[in-house]
Amino acid sequence: MKSPLSSSEIVVGLDLGTTKVTAVVGEVDADGITILGVGNVPCRGLRKGVVSNIEWTVRSIREAVEAAQTMAGVEIKTVYAGVAGSHIKSHVSDGVCAISGREVTRADLDRVLEGARAIPVDADRMILHALPREYAVDNQDGIRDPIGMSGVRLQVRVNLVTAASSCVQNVIRCVERCNLNVADVVLEPLASSDAVLSEDEKEIGVAVIDIGGGTTDLLLYVDGGIAHTSVLPAGGNNITSDVAAGLRTPMAEAERLKRNYGCALGRMISDDEEIEVPGVGGHAPRRVARRLLSDIIEPRVEEIFSEARRRIEETGLLEQLCSGCVLTGGAALMEGMVECAEEILGMPVRLGFPVGVKGIVQLVQGPQYATGVGLVRYGASQLADAAPRGLRATDEDRRIEAAAAADPSSQKNGFWNWFRAAF
Ligand SMILES: Nc1ncnc2c1ncn2[C@@H]1O[C@H](COP(=O)(O)OP(=O)(O)OP(=O)(O)O)[C@@H](O)[C@H]1O
Ligand SMILES: [Mg+2]
């Protein structure tokens, strides 16, 4: 069979955010991902990361996809869609299988992962991802890549990510109503963290906090594997509402003031700076101290980072996040966010912009595009999965691959290959 990556393939990421729908078109070949087009359309069809109005969401998806395909000059048929919201939960689960003294193959990894997935989940929930944290072969644990190792017993510890089936179904329904196929539904913070992190950070341990409009997504990498993910039900829109209420100004003005003059740490603002605040209901505009704006913003940002810290502490992994925290998502752009996060989380913090792609990168440069770019990267890794020889296979890989292919129980496992390609 001809390897799909011997030529190029089009991969499209569809980020359904609370404030916007973004379609990112990437061309994937053996040299990597080239961004060909982007469609970005405001969307009011989601609340806190979850579809609440199908019609509005469908309309935004249509517009975003049309814009992206016009720019890219390709027809979009299939997308990798993001899913988010506080219905997402993650649990640790273990799997075990016998390998009877021979070398571990990819088929064994599939079997052991299948075992880890075999836990009862509520009827209204589904397993979205099984993310391997570490493997053990016989008594040796902490193994990241057991392929080729010999033993009698293979174990895996995974993070099982589960989601409310209805929320996932609604995402699929919206996409299919636009006559598009869903190649896969992907946890949004998984995608955005992949777009902004370096391999070193994943290795040393890092927290990614994606602060969007409706939700703040948290994802922890420890020893190169995903150790925790959760979604906090607050984001940039809550900051805007606070500003609108606190300064008694319309939402649109509050959004503008927040973006242009907002700051997450009041003490970074000098006392003599002033801003003009338009009034509501015919009231005249008035001048107020910029410090007042940041005094409104700061408690909400503090609340978000304190909750993130509480959740990190709960996992017991705080000490293992040696490279600190990466902030992404549109709300991370506000002045003072990095400084405020450093104070509350007690670790070094940097802003995360999408990396690892070429082409029209200026269109996907901001942290609000991390999810869209990450979805394309995820899709690209799935293609690599279908063509393991094309990317980076060694002779040893090929030999083991051939053995796995001969094994009738052999199945593809997207996640394993995604991790494999990432290392
Ligand atoms: N320069 C800026 N300063 C402050 N906030 C900003 C700035 N630019 C964007 N934002 C905020 O970022 C938020 C949108 O971010 P993003 O596009 O990542 O969210 P989303 O993906 O639509 O939502 P979610 O991920 O929560 O579903 C909005 O609340 C917006 O006000
Ligand atoms: Mg988002």
Side-chain angles (χ1 to χ4, degrees):
M1 193 186 83
K2 191 171 171 244
S3 152
L5 288 188
S6 60
S7 57
S8 66
E9 293 268 340
I10 297 297
V11 175
V12 181
L14 187 68
D15 172 15
L16 303 178
T18 306
T19 66
K20 50 97 173 70
V21 168
T22 305
V24 180
V25 183
E27 184 179 38
V28 182
D29 59 22
D31 289 336
I33 300 169
T34 307
I35 302 297
L36 299 180
V38 180
N40 194 32
V41 173
C43 178
R44 293 179 51 231
L46 282 87
R47 273 183 58 78
K48 299 202 175 293
V50 169
V51 177
S52 62
N53 184 314
I54 298 229
E55 285 313 317
W56 294 352
T57 308
V58 166
R59 203 178 311 147
S60 300
I61 295 175
R62 255 192 212 122
E63 285 176 26
V65 166
E66 265 168 32
Q69 70 185 2
T70 305
M71 188 185 297
V74 297
E75 192 189 352
I76 297 174
K77 293 187 186 132
T78 303
V79 299
Y80 286 84
V83 64
S86 44
H87 60 99
I88 306 275
K89 303 269 180 292
S90 83
H91 325 258
V92 175
S93 174
D94 295 320
V96 60
C97 76
I99 41 176
S100 325
R102 56 177 173 75
E103 281 182 27
V104 176
T105 64
R106 244 186 238 184
D108 295 321
L109 298 188
D110 292 338
R111 276 197 301 136
V112 78
L113 281 172
E114 212 42 59
R117 291 175 80 107
I119 61 156
V121 288
D122 294 343
D124 55 350
R125 297 187 68 76
M126 59 182 281
I127 296 174
L128 207 55
H129 301 300
L131 308 171
R133 281 174 67 165
E134 61 167 334
Y135 293 89
V137 177
D138 297 345
N139 292 327
Q140 190 187 343
D141 57 14
I143 300 169
R144 179 112 45 76
D145 180 358
I147 286 193
M149 297 180 81
S150 301
V152 293
R153 182 185 155 93
L154 174 67
Q155 283 171 278
V156 67
R157 170 152 291 190
V158 302
N159 261 87
L160 271 191
V161 180
T162 65
S165 311
S166 57
C167 296
V168 177
Q169 280 311 322
N170 282 340
V171 167
I172 295 173
R173 190 165 301 141
C174 289
V175 176
E176 288 182 344
R177 281 243 201 131
C178 302
N179 296 323
L180 297 165
N181 300 313
V182 179
D184 212 342
V185 178
V186 185
L187 178 69
E188 288 186 0
L190 200 61
S192 43
S193 62
D194 188 56
V196 300
L197 291 182
S198 71
E199 293 310 317
D200 288 347
E201 284 171 321
K202 293 180 190 172
E203 202 61 53
I204 300 167
V206 66
V208 179
I209 302 181
D210 178 334
I211 316 177
T215 63
T216 296
D217 306 334
L218 172 69
L219 193 130
L220 307 182
Y221 264 96
V222 170
D223 293 331
I226 290 164
H228 172 81
T229 173
S230 64
V231 179
L232 287 55
N237 287 358
N238 299 81
I239 303 175
T240 307
S241 306
D242 293 347
V243 171
L247 292 181
R248 280 173 281 115
T249 192
M251 284 293 279
E253 290 300 338
E255 177 73 22
R256 186 183 63 81
L257 290 170
K258 177 187 82 169
R259 288 187 186 220
N260 294 345
Y261 308 106
C263 180
L265 267 189
R267 60 162 199 280
M268 288 171 69
I269 307 292
S270 70
D271 285 337
D272 48 7
E273 279 185 72
E274 283 194 344
I275 56 171
E276 188 169 280
V277 179
V280 268
H283 286 280
R286 60 203 194 285
R287 295 192 71 77
V288 301
R290 187 178 166 209
R291 176 72 194 248
L292 183 61
L293 176 64
S294 59
D295 284 348
I296 295 168
I297 292 171
E298 191 172 321
R300 179 66 76 168
V301 175
E302 264 179 27
E303 180 190 73
I304 291 173
F305 288 132
S306 302
E307 177 61 17
R309 182 176 170 116
R310 194 187 66 74
R311 293 200 186 190
I312 296 171
E313 278 172 349
E314 243 174 40
T315 65
L317 297 169
L318 185 66
E319 301 301 320
Q320 294 183 55
L321 304 174
C322 299
S323 51
C325 169
V326 176
L327 284 188
T328 189
L333 282 170
M334 189 159 52
E335 193 183 336
M337 288 298 263
V338 167
E339 293 78 359
C340 185
E342 277 181 340
E343 273 184 19
I344 294 173
L345 300 173
M347 56 176 80
V349 177
R350 73 167 177 91
L351 266 188
F353 293 85
V355 291
V357 289
K358 43 199 174 91
I360 350 179
V361 286
Q362 62 278 16
L363 292 176
V364 288
Q365 235 161 23
Q368 62 273 46
Y369 299 114
T371 307
V373 171
L375 289 168
V376 175
R377 286 173 59 98
Y378 178 88
S381 71
Q382 300 282 296
L383 291 184
D385 180 11
R389 289 155 190 263
L391 275 186
R392 59 176 69 186
T394 62
D395 286 344
E396 178 63 5
D397 278 341
R398 286 186 193 114
R399 192 175 62 71
I400 293 166
E401 204 60 57
D407 182 337
S409 66
S410 171
Q411 287 175 342
K412 278 202 301 177
N413 183 286
F415 275 96
W416 162 245
N417 288 289
W418 186 45
F419 271 78
R420 193 163 166 272
F423 292 134

